[in-house]
Coordinates of all heavy atoms in Angstrom, one line a residue:
L26 N 248.1 45.0 118.2 CA 247.8 46.2 119.0 C 248.1 47.5 118.2 O 247.4 48.5 118.2 CB 248.7 46.2 120.3 CG 248.3 45.2 121.3 CD1 249.3 45.2 122.5 CD2 246.9 45.3 121.8
N27 N 249.2 47.4 117.4 CA 249.6 48.5 116.6 C 248.5 48.8 115.5 O 248.1 50.0 115.3 CB 250.9 48.3 115.9 CG 251.4 49.5 115.1 OD1 251.3 50.6 115.5 ND2 251.9 49.2 113.9
L28 N 248.1 47.8 114.8 CA 247.0 48.0 113.8 C 245.7 48.5 114.4 O 245.1 49.3 113.8 CB 246.8 46.6 113.0 CG 247.9 46.1 112.1 CD1 247.7 44.7 111.6 CD2 248.1 47.1 110.9
K29 N 245.4 47.9 115.5 CA 244.1 48.4 116.2 C 244.2 49.8 116.6 O 243.3 50.6 116.4 CB 243.9 47.5 117.4 CG 242.7 47.8 118.3 CD 241.4 47.6 117.5 CE 240.2 47.7 118.4 NZ 238.9 47.6 117.6
F30 N 245.4 50.2 117.1 CA 245.6 51.6 117.6 C 245.5 52.6 116.4 O 244.8 53.6 116.5 CB 247.0 51.7 118.2 CG 247.2 53.1 118.9 CD1 246.9 53.2 120.3 CD2 247.6 54.2 118.2 CE1 247.1 54.4 120.9 CE2 247.8 55.4 118.9 CZ 247.5 55.5 120.2
M31 N 246.2 52.3 115.3 CA 246.2 53.1 114.2 C 244.8 53.2 113.5 O 244.3 54.3 113.1 CB 247.2 52.7 113.1 CG 248.6 52.8 113.6 SD 249.8 52.1 112.5 CE 249.8 53.2 111.1
A32 N 244.1 52.1 113.5 CA 242.7 52.1 112.9 C 241.7 52.9 113.7 O 240.9 53.7 113.2 CB 242.3 50.7 112.7
E33 N 241.8 52.7 115.1 CA 240.8 53.3 116.0 C 241.1 54.8 116.0 O 240.1 55.6 116.0 CB 240.9 52.7 117.4 CG 240.3 51.4 117.5 CD 238.7 51.5 117.6 OE1 238.2 52.4 118.2 OE2 238.1 50.6 117.1
V34 N 242.3 55.2 116.2 CA 242.7 56.6 116.3 C 242.6 57.3 115.0 O 242.5 58.6 114.9 CB 244.1 56.8 117.0 CG1 244.5 58.2 117.2 CG2 244.0 56.1 118.4
Q35 N 242.7 56.6 113.9 CA 242.8 57.1 112.5 C 244.1 58.0 112.4 O 244.0 59.2 112.1 CB 241.5 58.0 112.2 CG 240.3 57.1 112.1 CD 240.3 56.3 110.8 OE1 240.2 56.8 109.7 NE2 240.4 55.0 111.0
T36 N 245.2 57.4 112.7 CA 246.5 58.0 112.6 C 247.5 57.2 111.8 O 247.3 56.0 111.7 CB 247.1 58.3 114.0 OG1 248.3 58.9 113.9 CG2 247.3 57.0 114.8
T37 N 248.4 57.8 111.2 CA 249.5 57.1 110.5 C 250.7 56.8 111.4 O 251.7 56.2 111.0 CB 250.0 57.9 109.2 OG1 250.4 59.2 109.6 CG2 248.8 58.1 108.2
K38 N 250.7 57.4 112.6 CA 251.8 57.2 113.5 C 251.5 56.1 114.5 O 250.7 56.2 115.4 CB 252.0 58.6 114.3 CG 252.3 59.8 113.4 CD 253.6 59.6 112.7 CE 253.9 60.7 111.7 NZ 253.9 62.0 112.2
G39 N 252.1 55.0 114.2 CA 251.9 53.8 115.0 C 252.8 53.7 116.3 O 253.5 54.7 116.7
L40 N 252.7 52.6 116.9 CA 253.5 52.3 118.1 C 255.0 52.1 117.8 O 255.3 51.5 116.7 CB 252.9 51.1 118.9 CG 251.5 51.2 119.3 CD1 251.1 49.9 120.0 CD2 251.1 52.4 120.1
L41 N 255.8 52.5 118.7 CA 257.3 52.4 118.5 C 257.8 51.3 119.3 O 257.2 50.7 120.2 CB 258.0 53.7 118.8 CG 257.5 54.9 118.1 CD1 258.1 56.2 118.7 CD2 257.7 54.8 116.6
K42 N 259.1 50.9 119.1 CA 259.7 49.8 119.8 C 259.7 50.0 121.3 O 259.4 49.1 122.1 CB 261.2 49.7 119.3 CG 261.9 48.4 119.8 CD 263.3 48.4 119.3 CE 263.4 48.1 117.8 NZ 264.8 48.0 117.3
E43 N 259.9 51.3 121.7 CA 259.9 51.5 123.2 C 258.5 51.4 123.8 O 258.4 51.1 124.9 CB 260.5 52.9 123.5 CG 260.0 54.0 122.7 CD 260.8 54.4 121.4 OE1 261.3 53.4 120.8 OE2 260.8 55.6 121.1
H44 N 257.5 51.7 122.9 CA 256.1 51.5 123.4 C 255.9 50.0 123.7 O 255.2 49.6 124.6 CB 255.1 52.0 122.4 CG 255.2 53.5 122.1 ND1 254.9 54.1 120.9 CD2 255.6 54.5 123.0 CE1 255.1 55.4 121.0 NE2 255.5 55.7 122.3
Y45 N 256.3 49.1 122.7 CA 256.1 47.7 122.9 C 256.8 47.2 124.1 O 256.3 46.3 124.8 CB 256.7 46.9 121.6 CG 255.9 47.2 120.4 CD1 256.6 47.4 119.2 CD2 254.5 47.2 120.3 CE1 256.0 47.7 118.0 CE2 253.9 47.5 119.1 CZ 254.6 47.7 118.0 OH 253.9 47.9 116.8
F46 N 258.0 47.7 124.4 CA 258.7 47.3 125.6 C 257.9 47.6 126.9 O 257.8 46.7 127.7 CB 260.1 48.0 125.6 CG 261.0 47.6 126.7 CD1 261.2 46.2 127.0 CD2 261.7 48.5 127.5 CE1 262.0 45.8 128.0 CE2 262.6 48.1 128.5 CZ 262.7 46.7 128.7
F47 N 257.4 48.8 126.9 CA 256.5 49.1 128.1 C 255.3 48.2 128.2 O 255.0 47.7 129.3 CB 256.1 50.6 128.0 CG 255.0 51.0 128.9 CD1 255.2 51.1 130.3 CD2 253.7 51.1 128.5 CE1 254.1 51.4 131.2 CE2 252.6 51.4 129.3 CZ 252.9 51.6 130.7
L48 N 254.6 48.0 127.1 CA 253.4 47.1 127.0 C 253.8 45.7 127.5 O 253.0 45.1 128.2 CB 252.8 47.2 125.7 CG 252.2 48.5 125.2 CD1 251.8 48.5 123.8 CD2 251.0 48.9 126.1
A49 N 255.0 45.2 127.0 CA 255.4 43.9 127.4 C 255.6 43.8 128.9 O 255.2 42.9 129.6 CB 256.7 43.5 126.7
Q50 N 256.3 44.8 129.5 CA 256.5 44.9 130.9 C 255.2 44.8 131.7 O 255.0 44.2 132.7 CB 257.3 46.1 131.3 CG 258.7 46.1 130.9 CD 259.4 47.4 131.2 OE1 258.9 48.5 131.1 NE2 260.7 47.3 131.7
K51 N 254.2 45.5 131.1 CA 252.9 45.6 131.8 C 252.1 44.3 131.7 O 251.6 43.8 132.7 CB 252.1 46.7 131.1 CG 250.8 47.2 131.8 CD 250.2 48.4 131.2 CE 249.2 49.1 132.0 NZ 249.8 49.7 133.2
I52 N 252.0 43.7 130.5 CA 251.2 42.5 130.3 C 251.9 41.2 131.0 O 251.2 40.4 131.5 CB 250.9 42.2 128.8 CG1 249.7 41.3 128.7 CG2 252.1 41.6 128.1 CD1 249.1 41.3 127.3
F53 N 253.2 41.2 131.0 CA 253.9 40.1 131.6 C 254.3 40.3 133.1 O 254.8 39.4 133.8 CB 255.2 39.7 130.8 CG 255.0 39.2 129.4 CD1 255.3 39.9 128.3 CD2 254.3 38.0 129.3 CE1 255.1 39.4 127.0 CE2 254.1 37.5 128.0 CZ 254.5 38.2 126.9
N54 N 254.0 41.5 133.6 CA 254.4 41.9 134.9 C 255.9 41.6 135.2 O 256.2 40.9 136.2 CB 253.5 41.2 136.0 CG 253.8 41.8 137.4 OD1 254.1 42.9 137.6 ND2 253.6 40.9 138.4
D55 N 256.7 42.0 134.3 CA 258.2 41.7 134.3 C 259.0 42.9 134.0 O 258.9 43.4 132.9 CB 258.5 40.5 133.4 CG 259.9 40.1 133.5 OD1 260.8 40.8 134.1 OD2 260.2 39.0 132.9
H56 N 259.7 43.5 135.0 CA 260.5 44.7 134.7 C 262.0 44.4 134.7 O 262.8 45.3 134.7 CB 260.2 45.7 135.8 CG 258.7 46.2 135.8 ND1 258.3 47.2 135.0 CD2 257.6 45.7 136.4 CE1 257.0 47.4 135.2 NE2 256.6 46.5 136.1
S57 N 262.3 43.1 134.6 CA 263.8 42.8 134.6 C 264.2 42.3 133.2 O 265.4 42.2 132.9 CB 264.1 41.7 135.7 OG 263.3 40.5 135.4
A58 N 263.3 41.8 132.4 CA 263.6 41.3 131.1 C 264.0 42.4 130.1 O 263.5 43.5 130.2 CB 262.4 40.5 130.5
S59 N 264.8 42.0 129.1 CA 265.1 43.0 128.0 C 264.1 42.9 126.9 O 263.3 42.0 126.9 CB 266.5 42.6 127.5 OG 266.5 41.4 126.8
L60 N 264.2 43.9 126.0 CA 263.3 43.9 124.8 C 263.5 42.6 124.0 O 262.5 42.0 123.6 CB 263.7 45.1 124.0 CG 262.9 45.3 122.7 CD1 261.4 45.6 123.1 CD2 263.4 46.5 121.9
E61 N 264.7 42.1 123.9 CA 264.9 40.9 123.2 C 264.3 39.7 123.9 O 263.8 38.7 123.2 CB 266.4 40.6 123.0 CG 267.1 41.6 122.1 CD 267.2 43.0 122.6 OE1 267.3 43.1 123.9 OE2 267.2 44.0 121.8
D62 N 264.3 39.7 125.2 CA 263.7 38.6 126.0 C 262.2 38.4 125.6 O 261.7 37.3 125.5 CB 263.9 38.8 127.5 CG 265.3 38.7 127.9 OD1 266.1 38.0 127.2 OD2 265.7 39.3 128.9
F63 N 261.6 39.6 125.6 CA 260.1 39.6 125.3 C 259.8 39.0 124.0 O 258.7 38.4 123.8 CB 259.5 41.0 125.5 CG 259.5 41.4 127.0 CD1 260.0 42.7 127.3 CD2 258.9 40.6 127.9 CE1 259.9 43.1 128.7 CE2 258.8 41.1 129.3 CZ 259.3 42.3 129.6
Q64 N 260.7 39.3 123.0 CA 260.3 38.9 121.6 C 260.2 37.4 121.4 O 259.5 37.0 120.5 CB 261.4 39.5 120.7 CG 261.4 41.0 120.5 CD 262.5 41.5 119.7 OE1 263.5 40.9 119.5 NE2 262.4 42.8 119.2
S65 N 260.7 36.6 122.3 CA 260.6 35.2 122.2 C 259.5 34.6 123.0 O 259.3 33.4 123.0 CB 262.0 34.5 122.6 OG 262.2 34.8 124.0
R66 N 258.8 35.4 123.7 CA 257.7 35.0 124.6 C 256.4 34.9 123.9 O 256.2 35.5 122.8 CB 257.5 35.9 125.8 CG 258.7 35.8 126.7 CD 258.4 36.5 128.1 NE 259.6 36.7 128.9 CZ 259.5 37.2 130.1 NH1 258.4 37.6 130.6 NH2 260.6 37.4 130.8
S67 N 255.4 34.2 124.5 CA 254.1 34.1 124.0 C 253.1 34.7 125.1 O 253.5 34.6 126.3 CB 253.6 32.7 123.6 OG 253.7 31.8 124.7
V68 N 252.0 35.2 124.7 CA 251.1 35.8 125.6 C 249.8 35.1 125.6 O 249.3 34.7 124.5 CB 250.9 37.3 125.3 CG1 250.3 37.6 123.9 CG2 250.0 38.0 126.4
S69 N 249.1 34.9 126.7 CA 247.9 34.1 126.8 C 246.7 35.0 126.8 O 246.8 36.2 127.1 CB 247.9 33.3 128.0 OG 247.8 34.1 129.2
W70 N 245.5 34.4 126.4 CA 244.3 35.1 126.5 C 244.0 35.6 127.9 O 243.6 36.8 128.2 CB 243.1 34.2 126.1 CG 241.8 34.7 126.5 CD1 241.0 34.3 127.5 CD2 241.1 35.8 125.9 NE1 239.8 35.0 127.5 CE2 239.8 36.0 126.6 CE3 241.3 36.7 124.8 CZ2 238.9 36.9 126.2 CZ3 240.4 37.7 124.5 CH2 239.2 37.8 125.2
A71 N 244.4 34.8 128.9 CA 244.2 35.2 130.3 C 245.0 36.5 130.6 O 244.5 37.4 131.3 CB 244.6 34.1 131.3
Q72 N 246.3 36.6 130.2 CA 247.1 37.8 130.4 C 246.5 39.0 129.7 O 246.6 40.1 130.2 CB 248.5 37.5 130.0 CG 249.3 36.5 130.8 CD 250.6 36.1 130.2 OE1 250.7 35.8 129.0 NE2 251.7 36.1 131.0
F73 N 245.9 38.7 128.5 CA 245.4 39.8 127.7 C 244.1 40.4 128.3 O 243.9 41.6 128.4 CB 245.1 39.3 126.3 CG 244.5 40.3 125.4 CD1 245.3 41.4 125.0 CD2 243.2 40.1 124.8 CE1 244.7 42.3 124.1 CE2 242.7 41.0 123.9 CZ 243.5 42.1 123.6

């Protein structure tokens, strides 16, 4: 997602850790997990 964002927008400013946290909450529909919890998860094509 970061590489796609930077390439499409043509910017050197990529996504930050807090951005990934928000995106994880969104794609997993989980607002109780920590940033570390998400790092060990996998995401499916269906969720994407």
Side-chain angles (χ1 to χ4, degrees):
L26 293 176
N27 184 46
L28 289 171
K29 180 67 173 173
F30 190 93
M31 292 173 71
E33 283 284 325
V34 178
Q35 291 290 290
T36 179
T37 58
K38 300 295 172 63
L40 304 182
L41 304 174
K42 191 180 291 185
E43 51 266 35
H44 296 149
Y45 294 137
F46 186 45
F47 166 75
L48 292 171
Q50 290 177 322
K51 196 172 192 69
I52 202 167
F53 292 114
N54 188 30
D55 185 347
H56 296 272
S57 60
S59 68
L60 182 63
E61 291 70 30
D62 292 335
F63 288 128
Q64 288 174 344
S65 61
R66 292 194 191 182
S67 61
V68 61
S69 68
W70 164 254
Q72 289 169 314
F73 180 65

